Amino acid sequence: MASKFGDSIMLYLGFQVVLAPLTRQRSWNNVPQPPAILYYSQRTSKGGLLIAEATGVSDTAQGYPHTPGIWTKEQVEAWKPIVDDVHAKGGIFFCQIWHVGRVSNTGFQPNGQAPISCTDKPLTPQIGANGIDVDQFSPPRRLTTDEIPQVVKDFRLAARNAIEAGM
């Protein structure tokens, strides 16, 4: 049976089995912050699976403010105490790595460049999660065939970094 707990949806069978990923937007400069230790720890049970919020694989992967990444040493080190606390309570932690593609704008991209994507077709503005603000998306730049290996490399590094962080 599903149950609502705070801002998290969890599946219960007498204990928490799975924590679905939620975008918390509480990181600073793409680095998870210490309050995340409490957040994930409170949602951990022995044998339970926690899926981390979407975690960027590179500086071009970002499309939302205050979301965590896992492409730098600093980010890996920030994830370690979070993961350690989940493991100490008997939980299993999985890192959801992602790249937002064209769901971004130049303000989130290195040097203000256009977001990279498989297409150059822009997205239309959308009402934000708060129901008030309008999310604006910059026209993306179509990734060239020669650039694809870099994106693959970004995902590979992020996966290795997640393992190094203990996930």
Side-chain angles (χ1 to χ4, degrees):
M1 109 192 329
S3 175
K4 181 84 172 140
F5 179 79
D7 60 352
S8 303
I9 302 293
M10 295 184 279
L11 180 64
Y12 277 86
L13 297 173
F15 61 95
Q16 180 182 326
V17 177
V18 177
L19 171 70
L22 300 163
T23 303
R24 299 179 57 246
Q25 295 182 295
R26 295 180 182 165
S27 293
W28 184 252
N29 291 328
N30 307 115
V31 177
Q33 297 299 295
I37 298 169
L38 180 61
Y39 174 84
Y40 285 109
S41 177
Q42 287 176 331
R43 290 153 177 83
T44 303
S45 63
K46 187 173 182 173
L49 171 64
L50 280 78
I51 303 173
E53 60 200 286
T55 303
V57 299
S58 70
D59 58 352
T60 66
Q62 301 306 114
Y64 301 91
H66 312 297
T67 56
I70 197 153
W71 70 89
T72 70
K73 192 63 147 169
E74 180 184 15
Q75 293 162 342
V76 172
E77 293 304 314
W79 275 111
K80 285 181 179 180
I82 301 166
V83 176
D84 289 347
D85 205 62
V86 167
H87 289 166
K89 292 181 90 176
I92 301 162
F93 209 168
F94 181 83
C95 186
Q96 176 192 191
I97 56 176
W98 78 337
H99 192 295
V100 300
R102 69 181 180 160
V103 184
S104 188
N105 66 55
T106 57
F108 293 114
Q109 298 301 307
N111 304 315
Q113 66 190 23
I116 59 173
S117 180
C118 63
T119 181
D120 57 5
K121 294 178 183 173
L123 292 169
T124 57
Q126 298 173 7
I127 299 293
N130 65 8
I132 300 168
D133 296 325
V134 177
D135 292 332
Q136 300 288 332
F137 307 106
S138 300
R141 177 180 66 79
R142 187 181 303 219
L143 202 61
T144 67
T145 304
D146 293 343
E147 293 173 305
I148 293 171
Q150 180 59 52
V151 176
V152 172
K153 183 179 174 183
D154 292 342
F155 272 90
R156 184 181 302 119
L157 176 63
R160 287 181 178 152
N161 284 347
I163 292 167
E164 182 183 333
M167 296 188 207

